[in-house]
Amino acid sequence: MNSSDKYKRIWKTVQQIPPGFVASYGQIADLAGLPGRARLVGKALGFVPKEMRVPWFRVLRSSGQLAFAPGSQSAQTQKGLLQEEGVVVINNRVRLKDFQWQPDLAELLFKLEY
DNA sequence: GTATTGACTTCAT
DNA sequence: AATGAAGCCAATA
């Protein structure tokens, strides 16, 4: 499995996050079958082809913090996109207790087949 | 081969 | 709650 296959796998997993919910980098890595590779998820999201619509903004740190520096252009963009779908962002962070995605594993694995 | 780099995580202050 | 060190590990160089 080369690195580009892993990126695709990560992108497909992120595409399963429903609007209005968020997931952590580590969580995506686990779900994509790449446990311990949270940092790889971040890298992959930086390489998303723009024609492939991937909701990168629904991915946060395990603490609920946005991965970007508060006030940065990226952080503001991410905050805006999240709030558009009803996710509350306060002080650069989201309450995971309220918005964390909890996928049905069987359904997720099925979707990743495609 | 070794070294560096992260859109990270966890644990200990 | 905030900060920092240590751990992490594939991808790059």
Side-chain angles (χ1 to χ4, degrees), chain A residues 10 24-30 34-43:
Chain A
I10 290 167
S24 78
Y25 292 92
Q27 184 184 359
I28 293 302
D30 287 350
L34 302 166
R37 262 51 83 69
R39 307 186 84 140
L40 186 60
V41 172
K43 196 167 295 193

Side-chain angles (χ1 to χ4, degrees), chain A residues 63-91:
Chain A
S63 60
Q65 291 255 109
L66 305 205
F68 300 104
S72 68
Q73 184 59 68
S74 297
Q76 302 236 356
T77 302
Q78 183 171 18
K79 174 177 175 177
L81 289 166
L82 286 172
Q83 290 187 148
E84 275 181 39
E85 20 183 83
V87 176
V88 178
V89 182
I90 300 171
N91 293 330

Side-chain angles (χ1 to χ4, degrees), chain A residues 1-9 34 40:
Chain A
M1 191 185 227
N2 59 36
S3 62
S4 120
D5 285 334
K6 289 179 187 164
Y7 291 159
K8 287 185 208 158
R9 179 88 187 208
L34 302 166
L40 186 60

